[in-house]
Structure formats: structure tokens, C-alpha cells
Amino acid sequence: MAGEIFFDNTFHQLIRTNPDGKTEAFDDPILQVSRQRQHLLDWLKTKRTNNLPVETLVVSANSSTIIRAVNTDINRKVIRKDRILLRIEELKNKYNEAVLSARAMKRLSNLLLDGHTPYIPKPLENYRIPITALQTGVFCNKCHAFTMERKTKKWICRTCLDISLDAHISALYDYLYLVKPTITNSEFRNFLQLQSPSSAKKLLLSLKLNHSGQTRGRVYLLNSLIEG
């Protein structure tokens, strides 16, 4: 955040004043990270790991930001980015005895990885943009036009004749981040302006995406693009 930020302890909000004088109110990041801490502790409890200390910290990453607060004790919870290494050293000195064995640490790290869900934004839903407003087709990285066509197992640009073997992958990333994390053969063809159902099936199968359903009802999970 640029400008000046003020931690309001009375109403538990963050007030930002921009360089142009405009003020805005945000949720208190100290309360936010406190909630995140509690969520983590609750999750650890379900995994039978109850003895881990969990510290919280709010870091201001913008060097030009001016931080103000009435409560001076806030400097234990909010720091500038230049102090983060020093704060980590302080925590290392505070917790200088091992709480978990190497085996338990490995188990916990695996549980964290297994429980991770990639964040996929939904801009169309959030901003109420109809999918029909999107430019469909396959993008050409050379002439920057949506004019790639599928011919003889490759993509050829109608405009500049550039050739690509995997231009459809970028289109799938666009679909994943703009529309939704699943796609059917029909949706794939419509979004890429691809005519042949069999060609679409071959392309989707070649990516080895996780899927559910059989034949015409099959749904491909685009999260595999991220996780892979």
C-alpha cells in the first residue's frame, strides 16, 4: 500500500490516505492474520499436532509507505520489510528448542502439501462479465492475433503463418483463470474455435489432465495444469 496508513484500534480498521488526499478504509490486517493463525491451529489440531507455537506478523512491503498508530505496542505486530530478517532471528532465539522430530516434521510437511488447494480467481463471476464478452480463438504469440488454426497436428496462424505445436495450452490457462477450472470437449471447442470433436479429444487427452465421467459427459480438470 502506498501513501500513509493508520491502524485504528478503536474500530479495528486500517485507514489509508493516498498522496492525493483520498482516504480509504480496509479490514484490520492484524485481525486478519489472527484469524489465519486460529484457522491453522484448528487445522493442526485435526492432524493431532497441538504443541506448535504459531506467531503472526504484518509486513509493509512498500518502502515509501508511512505507518502511523496510536498504540506504540503495534510495532511487535507490524513491521517494515527491512526488519523481517531481524524479526526472524528474534523468533529463532525465542524458540531455540526443537518441538518436532525430523520424522514428525516430514509428516506435517506432507500433510500441508496434500491439503493445499491452488487459488483460482473468478474475475468473470466477481465482475459480472458474461463469457460471451471474451475473445475466443487461439492466440498467436508472433502477430498477437487470435487467428491460429489447427491443421495437420499443429497450429498455423492465418495472419503471419507462424507455427506452434502447443498454442492450445495458453488458451487453456486463459480459460482456467478467467472462466472456471473444468472444461468439457464442447466448451474446449467453443473457446478455441475448434471444429473437430475428435481433434479436441486428442488434444485434451495428450495433456494427461485428471478427469471425471465417461465419453460425452467427460469433464477435464484444468487444475492439473498448475499442479503438474
Side-chain angles (χ1 to χ4, degrees), residues 28-225:
D28 187 347
I30 298 176
L31 292 182
Q32 178 187 354
V33 76
S34 179
R35 288 193 302 270
Q36 292 170 338
R37 175 182 182 275
Q38 189 57 53
H39 288 323
L40 178 56
L41 289 172
D42 292 342
W43 183 86
L44 289 170
K45 188 175 182 179
T46 66
K47 306 304 178 184
R48 299 181 182 178
T49 305
N50 303 324
N51 59 341
L52 282 183
V54 178
E55 296 275 354
T56 64
L57 198 61
V58 175
V59 181
S60 175
N62 193 325
S63 300
S64 63
T65 301
I66 299 172
I67 305 174
R68 298 192 188 280
V70 175
N71 183 3
T72 57
D73 292 338
I74 205 173
N75 63 3
R76 299 300 302 167
K77 301 177 181 180
V78 181
I79 65 171
R80 302 178 70 86
K81 65 178 181 178
D82 294 338
R83 281 201 63 226
I84 191 167
L85 292 179
L86 178 60
R87 186 74 178 107
I88 290 174
E89 285 299 318
E90 291 174 354
L91 292 174
K92 286 171 64 177
N93 293 330
K94 180 179 178 181
Y95 302 105
N96 53 15
E97 295 183 5
V99 178
L100 296 179
S101 65
R103 181 178 180 180
M105 184 73 76
K106 179 66 175 177
R107 170 183 171 274
L108 181 57
S109 65
N110 288 334
L111 288 172
L112 285 166
L113 289 172
D114 291 340
H116 173 65
T117 301
Y119 170 66
I120 299 177
K122 299 178 180 179
L124 296 188
E125 180 180 318
N126 294 339
Y127 296 103
R128 299 179 182 178
I129 301 173
I131 189 174
T132 53
L134 296 180
Q135 171 70 64
T136 59
V138 178
F139 185 73
C140 174
N141 282 319
K142 185 174 182 181
C143 69
H144 302 160
F146 286 86
T147 50
M148 300 289 276
E149 290 184 337
R150 186 71 179 173
K151 293 182 179 180
T152 60
K153 298 183 178 181
K154 55 181 175 285
W155 295 96
I156 302 176
C157 179
R158 297 193 307 269
T159 304
C160 67
L161 302 182
D162 190 47
I163 296 175
S164 172
L165 298 177
D166 58 1
H168 56 285
I169 296 179
S170 295
L172 281 175
Y173 272 109
D174 290 341
Y175 191 90
L176 166 64
Y177 287 114
L178 291 173
V179 185
K180 59 179 181 176
T182 62
I183 196 168
T184 64
N185 185 299
S186 175
E187 290 168 338
F188 180 69
R189 284 183 281 119
N190 290 336
F191 193 70
L192 276 70
Q193 296 182 9
L194 190 61
Q195 300 299 319
S196 170
S198 60
S199 294
K201 181 179 179 180
K202 289 178 182 177
L203 286 172
L204 288 167
L205 291 176
S206 70
L207 295 174
K208 295 181 172 56
L209 299 170
N210 294 329
H211 59 268
S212 61
Q214 300 295 327
T215 60
R216 295 181 63 181
R218 177 168 291 184
V219 176
Y220 297 89
L221 310 180
L222 298 179
N223 285 0
S224 307
L225 292 171

